Amino acid sequence: MSVHSNLAPVLRDPRDTAFMTSYLDSLTLVERLHRLLLDVIKDEFERVGVIEINAVQALLLFNVGENEVTAGELKSRGYYQGSNVSYNLKKLVEAGYMHHKRCQIDRRSVRVRLTDKGRRIRDIVDKLFSSHAAGMLSRGVLDQSGIDDITMSLRRIERYWTDQIRYIY
Protein backbone atom coordinates (compact mmCIF):
# COMPACT_ATOMS: atom_id res chain seq x y z
CA MET A 1 0.00 0.00 0.00
CA SER A 2 1.28 3.46 -0.91
CA VAL A 3 2.13 6.18 1.60
CA HIS A 4 -0.53 8.46 0.13
CA SER A 5 -3.32 5.88 -0.29
CA ASN A 6 -5.31 7.46 2.53
CA LEU A 7 -5.70 10.68 0.48
CA ALA A 8 -7.41 9.14 -2.55
CA PRO A 9 -10.79 8.31 -0.85
CA VAL A 10 -11.55 12.04 -0.61
CA LEU A 11 -12.47 11.86 -4.30
CA ARG A 12 -15.85 10.33 -5.15
CA ASP A 13 -15.46 9.09 -8.74
CA PRO A 14 -13.24 5.96 -8.97
CA ARG A 15 -11.54 7.41 -12.07
CA ASP A 16 -10.62 10.52 -10.06
CA THR A 17 -9.28 8.29 -7.29
CA ALA A 18 -7.13 6.37 -9.77
CA PHE A 19 -5.85 9.63 -11.25
CA MET A 20 -5.08 11.02 -7.78
CA THR A 21 -3.12 7.90 -6.88
CA SER A 22 -1.13 8.12 -10.14
CA TYR A 23 -0.58 11.85 -9.66
CA LEU A 24 0.81 11.34 -6.15
CA ASP A 25 3.00 8.49 -7.41
CA SER A 26 4.38 10.80 -10.11
CA LEU A 27 5.13 13.54 -7.53
CA THR A 28 7.02 11.03 -5.42
CA LEU A 29 8.94 9.91 -8.49
CA VAL A 30 9.90 13.49 -9.42
CA GLU A 31 11.27 14.06 -5.91
CA ARG A 32 13.12 10.75 -5.94
CA LEU A 33 14.58 11.41 -9.40
CA HIS A 34 15.93 14.78 -8.29
CA ARG A 35 17.65 13.23 -5.27
CA LEU A 36 18.96 10.41 -7.46
CA LEU A 37 20.33 12.91 -9.97
CA LEU A 38 22.25 14.63 -7.18
CA ASP A 39 23.60 11.23 -6.06
CA VAL A 40 24.69 10.40 -9.62
CA ILE A 41 26.53 13.72 -9.88
CA LYS A 42 28.13 13.21 -6.45
CA ASP A 43 29.31 9.72 -7.44
CA GLU A 44 30.80 11.03 -10.69
CA PHE A 45 32.64 13.77 -8.82
CA GLU A 46 34.03 11.23 -6.35
CA ARG A 47 35.13 9.08 -9.28
CA VAL A 48 37.04 11.95 -10.93
CA GLY A 49 38.40 13.25 -7.61
CA VAL A 50 36.41 16.48 -7.26
CA ILE A 51 35.51 16.80 -3.59
CA GLU A 52 35.55 20.56 -3.06
CA ILE A 53 31.95 21.22 -4.15
CA ASN A 54 28.67 19.37 -3.77
CA ALA A 55 26.25 18.11 -6.41
CA VAL A 56 23.85 21.06 -6.01
CA GLN A 57 26.70 23.48 -6.63
CA ALA A 58 27.88 21.46 -9.65
CA LEU A 59 24.37 21.52 -11.10
CA LEU A 60 24.23 25.27 -10.49
CA LEU A 61 27.48 25.70 -12.45
CA PHE A 62 26.06 23.57 -15.25
CA ASN A 63 22.86 25.65 -15.38
CA VAL A 64 24.74 28.97 -15.42
CA GLY A 65 26.82 27.77 -18.37
CA GLU A 66 28.30 30.63 -20.38
CA ASN A 67 25.77 33.15 -19.09
CA GLU A 68 26.30 36.02 -16.69
CA VAL A 69 23.41 35.97 -14.22
CA THR A 70 22.15 37.19 -10.87
CA ALA A 71 20.84 35.02 -8.07
CA GLY A 72 17.42 36.50 -8.76
CA GLU A 73 17.55 35.36 -12.38
CA LEU A 74 18.40 31.81 -11.35
CA LYS A 75 15.56 31.88 -8.84
CA SER A 76 13.05 33.33 -11.31
CA ARG A 77 13.98 30.70 -13.92
CA GLY A 78 12.87 28.18 -11.35
CA TYR A 79 16.22 26.48 -10.79
CA TYR A 80 16.67 27.29 -7.11
CA GLN A 81 15.13 28.76 -4.00
CA GLY A 82 16.40 32.19 -2.95
CA SER A 83 18.44 31.41 0.16
CA ASN A 84 19.82 28.23 -1.39
CA VAL A 85 21.07 29.96 -4.53
CA SER A 86 22.60 32.90 -2.62
CA TYR A 87 24.44 30.58 -0.24
CA ASN A 88 25.77 28.36 -3.02
CA LEU A 89 26.79 31.27 -5.25
CA LYS A 90 28.73 32.78 -2.34
CA LYS A 91 30.51 29.46 -1.72
CA LEU A 92 31.31 29.05 -5.43
CA VAL A 93 32.74 32.57 -5.65
CA GLU A 94 34.84 31.97 -2.51
CA ALA A 95 36.17 28.69 -3.96
CA GLY A 96 37.09 30.32 -7.27
CA TYR A 97 34.47 28.65 -9.48
CA MET A 98 32.70 31.92 -10.29
CA HIS A 99 33.55 35.58 -10.81
CA HIS A 100 31.23 38.18 -9.37
CA LYS A 101 30.76 41.89 -9.95
CA ARG A 102 28.22 44.51 -9.00
CA CYS A 103 25.58 45.20 -11.63
CA GLN A 104 26.07 48.61 -13.27
CA ILE A 105 22.35 49.35 -13.31
CA ASP A 106 21.34 48.07 -9.86
CA ARG A 107 24.30 48.34 -7.46
CA ARG A 108 22.53 46.05 -4.97
CA SER A 109 22.61 43.21 -7.48
CA VAL A 110 25.66 41.02 -8.10
CA ARG A 111 26.22 39.31 -11.44
CA VAL A 112 28.14 36.03 -11.60
CA ARG A 113 29.78 34.00 -14.34
CA LEU A 114 31.95 30.91 -14.44
CA THR A 115 35.72 31.02 -14.10
CA ASP A 116 37.89 28.50 -15.98
CA LYS A 117 37.70 26.32 -12.88
CA GLY A 118 33.89 26.54 -12.96
CA ARG A 119 33.82 25.70 -16.67
CA ARG A 120 35.81 22.52 -15.96
CA ILE A 121 33.12 21.45 -13.50
CA ARG A 122 30.39 22.34 -15.98
CA ASP A 123 32.19 20.23 -18.60
CA ILE A 124 32.30 17.21 -16.25
CA VAL A 125 28.54 17.46 -15.71
CA ASP A 126 27.96 17.98 -19.45
CA LYS A 127 29.96 14.84 -20.28
CA LEU A 128 28.06 12.90 -17.62
CA PHE A 129 24.70 13.97 -19.06
CA SER A 130 25.87 13.24 -22.62
CA SER A 131 26.93 9.77 -21.52
CA HIS A 132 23.53 9.22 -19.91
CA ALA A 133 21.70 10.34 -23.05
CA ALA A 134 23.79 8.03 -25.24
CA GLY A 135 23.31 5.14 -22.82
CA MET A 136 19.54 5.56 -22.68
CA LEU A 137 19.35 5.59 -26.47
CA SER A 138 21.67 2.64 -27.00
CA ARG A 139 19.97 0.49 -24.35
CA GLY A 140 16.47 1.38 -25.49
CA VAL A 141 15.51 3.01 -22.19
CA LEU A 142 14.03 5.96 -24.10
CA ASP A 143 13.93 7.09 -27.70
CA GLN A 144 13.37 10.60 -29.04
CA SER A 145 9.60 10.22 -28.94
CA GLY A 146 9.65 8.93 -25.36
CA ILE A 147 11.80 11.76 -24.03
CA ASP A 148 9.69 14.30 -25.95
CA ASP A 149 6.51 12.88 -24.36
CA ILE A 150 8.01 13.07 -20.86
CA THR A 151 9.24 16.62 -21.43
CA MET A 152 5.92 17.76 -22.85
CA SER A 153 4.00 16.24 -19.93
CA LEU A 154 6.32 17.81 -17.36
CA ARG A 155 6.02 21.20 -19.08
CA ARG A 156 2.22 20.96 -18.91
CA ILE A 157 2.40 20.23 -15.18
CA GLU A 158 4.86 23.12 -14.75
CA ARG A 159 2.48 25.44 -16.57
CA TYR A 160 -0.50 24.27 -14.49
CA TRP A 161 1.38 24.82 -11.22
CA THR A 162 2.66 28.21 -12.40
CA ASP A 163 -0.90 29.23 -13.26
CA GLN A 164 -2.02 28.10 -9.80
CA ILE A 165 0.53 30.38 -8.19
CA ARG A 166 -0.12 33.36 -10.45
CA TYR A 167 -3.87 33.32 -10.89
CA ILE A 168 -5.51 31.42 -8.06
CA TYR A 169 -4.06 33.07 -4.98
Side-chain angles (χ1 to χ4, degrees):
M1 185 171 265
S2 135
V3 171
H4 45 264
S5 63
N6 61 333
L7 296 177
V10 172
L11 303 171
R12 301 203 189 277
D13 187 326
R15 290 171 300 187
D16 292 344
T17 301
F19 184 84
M20 179 66 170
T21 299
S22 294
Y23 175 62
L24 294 173
D25 285 343
S26 69
L27 294 179
T28 301
L29 184 57
V30 167
E31 286 181 293
R32 195 173 340 146
L33 284 170
H34 178 67
R35 286 191 304 271
L36 190 56
L37 172 63
L38 295 176
D39 286 344
V40 167
I41 293 169
K42 180 182 80 69
D43 288 350
E44 178 67 9
F45 276 46
E46 288 172 358
R47 190 184 69 71
V48 298
V50 175
I51 57 172
E52 191 174 46
I53 65 172
N54 64 40
V56 170
Q57 292 165 339
L59 200 51
L60 193 148
L61 292 171
F62 177 79
N63 286 325
V64 168
E66 289 301 317
N67 301 309
E68 184 174 279
V69 297
T70 65
E73 288 168 337
L74 288 170
K75 184 179 173 245
S76 69
R77 291 179 193 171
Y79 291 138
Y80 305 94
Q81 294 179 342
S83 59
N84 189 21
V85 72
S86 297
Y87 170 82
N88 283 309
L89 287 177
K90 179 182 175 197
K91 291 294 183 185
L92 290 167
V93 167
E94 289 171 357
Y97 291 98
M98 300 186 107
H99 292 294
H100 75 289
K101 68 177 182 179
R102 290 264 171 227
C103 181
Q104 297 295 336
I105 297 167
D106 180 358
R107 301 298 293 164
R108 297 169 296 169
S109 181
V110 175
R111 300 192 67 75
V112 295
R113 63 182 166 82
L114 301 185
T115 63
D116 288 339
K117 189 176 176 182
R119 282 197 240 359
R120 284 193 293 277
I121 297 299
R122 186 217 42 223
D123 291 346
I124 292 169
V125 176
D126 183 61
K127 286 177 187 165
L128 176 66
F129 290 168
S130 294
S131 170
H132 289 169
M136 282 188 248
L137 276 171
S138 70
R139 292 185 181 130
V141 173
L142 282 172
D143 61 8
Q144 186 66 51
S145 174
I147 197 71
D148 288 345
D149 289 345
I150 290 168
T151 302
M152 185 172 43
S153 294
L154 291 172
R155 287 187 196 278
R156 286 194 311 254
I157 291 170
E158 177 186 35
R159 176 60 190 252
Y160 178 80
W161 287 349
T162 300
D163 288 349
Q164 294 301 298
I165 294 166
R166 289 186 182 155
Y167 304 116
I168 299 299
Y169 299 107

